[in-house]
Amino acid sequence: MRVLGIETSCDETGVAVYDTDRGLLAHALYSQIALHAEYGGVVPELASRDHVRKLLPLVRQTLAEAGLAASDLDGVAYTAGPGLVGALMVGAAAGRALAWALEVPAVGVHHMEGHLLAPLLEDPSLRPPFVALLVSGGHTQLVEVDGIGAYRLLGETLDDAAGEAFDKTAKLMGLPYPGGPQLAALAETGRPGAFTFSRPMTDRPGLDFSFSGLKTQVLLAWQQSDRSEQTRADIARGFEDAVVETLAIKCRRALEQTGIHTLVVAGGVGANLRLRAMLQAMAEKRGGRVRFPRPAFCTDNGAMIAFAGALRLMAGQHEDAGVHVTPRWDMAALPEVASDRA
């Protein structure tokens, strides 16, 4: 089954073609970073308009790279939520119209389920049960995965997501948009231990997160410092170490609590090299394993939507002829595809 995947939940336009027999055939991504940089953050109306301009050319490009015509497609998957409503509507309307014209089924995909399943895209041996850390600019969640669509939320952020905290901290220290990757790069030249910040909510039981207080600690440290470039790098390193260690502590607790030995990490912050190294060391010490998607598939992309959509289309799930999006969507409400327990 050849499935076209469309991702337009926020500020990146992603398109891919996934073949259930041959794997990923082609994918393309357009980022709106330059468009939103002037404003220091995503402007929803501008994001929607840019998706309108870029989506169909990307579809044509991706089909050409896959060596396919539109008529060769067997299904269409598009991000139906969560996300910016206008941006979601662009992808949903285009995807549903294309499916209608080709007389093939279409399915709306949950954006976070796409991220959660991204590591399986290139590692067919990876099967539930596992614990997933979904860590991005909009979400920080620990989820117990017993099968495709069988999800139990273990813990989540009570305020800022980890990626959001990275971006806001970078902005308050004067780093350019998008701040998260800039801060992580700056932290590479920071001195370990020069600044030490708290590991939020690790001194109490539970698997929830909170990063807003950490952001405030960094602000105070920056305001009271000499604001030199080395100090900026040292603070960035202290902040990154605090976030990474907090995530690792909570992941270890989740594995211990569930008795599961496999951890899957997905979402934009999952590309952070220090986080990858710490989680790898933690998993190996426990005799378990951790799996990440390639860095290009950590951020929003069409490949994860094509793959997740293909799993649901193969299970017979599809949408009616209407165009439906769900800007706020609880992943626990998704129907189960099948039992994938190893």
Side-chain angles (χ1 to χ4, degrees):
M1 186 178 200
R2 293 177 291 270
V3 178
L4 178 74
I6 296 173
E7 157 59 25
T8 62
S9 64
C10 189
D11 61 342
E12 290 169 314
T13 312
V15 179
V17 177
Y18 179 81
D19 188 316
T20 53
D21 293 324
R22 298 163 57 198
L24 185 65
L25 302 184
H27 67 99
L29 183 70
Y30 170 77
S31 173
Q32 299 177 359
I33 285 177
L35 174 67
H36 300 291
E38 178 182 352
Y39 307 96
V42 177
V43 181
E45 179 62 24
L46 295 181
S48 301
R49 293 179 184 181
D50 219 33
H51 286 309
V52 171
R53 285 191 289 266
K54 299 297 183 181
L55 180 55
L56 291 183
L58 276 182
V59 169
R60 297 188 188 101
Q61 173 188 328
T62 305
L63 286 173
E65 290 178 0
L68 300 175
S71 58
D72 295 321
L73 295 173
D74 302 304
V76 178
Y78 55 87
T79 302
L84 302 175
V85 63
L88 292 169
M89 284 297 295
V90 174
R96 198 64 199 80
L98 181 60
W100 178 83
L102 296 174
E103 298 184 331
V104 298
V107 65
V109 173
H110 193 290
H111 179 77
M112 296 311 296
E113 181 176 54
H115 276 303
L116 185 151
L117 298 177
L120 283 70
L121 178 63
E122 299 175 296
D123 186 0
S125 67
L126 179 59
R127 310 287 287 176
F130 54 79
V131 170
L133 171 66
L134 303 178
V135 58
S136 67
H139 297 80
T140 301
Q141 297 177 327
L142 280 165
V143 180
E144 182 179 357
V145 179
D146 198 49
I148 308 303
Y151 309 129
R152 183 170 71 92
L153 181 65
L154 300 174
E156 62 184 337
T157 185
L158 304 180
D159 40 58
D160 292 348
E164 183 182 7
F166 263 92
D167 289 338
K168 289 181 177 179
T169 300
K171 187 174 183 179
L172 66 85
M173 289 200 300
L175 296 176
Y177 175 87
Q182 301 278 350
L183 188 147
L186 183 61
E188 290 299 312
T189 61
R191 294 171 295 184
F195 285 85
T196 302
F197 302 110
S198 67
R199 278 50 175 163
M201 298 184 69
T202 58
D203 59 348
R204 68 191 76 174
L207 296 173
D208 287 331
F209 302 88
S210 173
F211 294 108
S212 63
L214 178 59
K215 179 185 62 184
T216 303
Q217 291 179 48
V218 173
L219 174 60
L220 292 174
W222 175 243
Q223 290 176 336
Q224 296 167 9
S225 74
D226 60 10
R227 303 199 181 192
S228 67
E229 285 306 307
Q230 184 59 59
T231 297
R232 192 198 303 263
D234 291 343
I235 291 176
R237 177 61 185 268
F239 170 82
E240 184 181 58
D241 284 346
V243 172
V244 166
E245 188 172 348
T246 298
L247 293 171
I249 290 170
K250 297 287 185 169
C251 286
R252 187 186 69 242
R253 286 184 186 176
L255 293 171
E256 291 171 351
Q257 179 177 306
T258 59
I260 293 173
H261 300 288
T262 300
L263 175 68
V264 165
V265 183
V269 182
N272 183 281
L273 296 179
R274 192 159 283 118
L275 176 63
R276 286 180 172 236
M278 183 168 285
L279 291 179
Q280 187 74 48
M282 180 272 292
E284 291 177 357
K285 185 176 181 180
R286 298 186 70 257
R289 60 176 181 165
V290 59
R291 292 292 182 267
F292 307 88
R294 69 169 88 162
F297 291 163
C298 287
T299 55
D300 295 350
N301 63 87
M304 68 182 191
I305 302 304
F307 177 67
L311 293 178
R312 292 194 172 274
L313 287 169
M314 289 287 286
Q317 297 181 19
H318 56 82
E319 309 295 341
D320 59 28
V323 178
H324 308 290
V325 298
T326 310
R328 295 180 179 273
W329 192 0
D330 182 2
M331 195 166 63
L334 294 173
E336 186 172 356
V337 169
S339 175
D340 285 88
R341 180 176 288 275

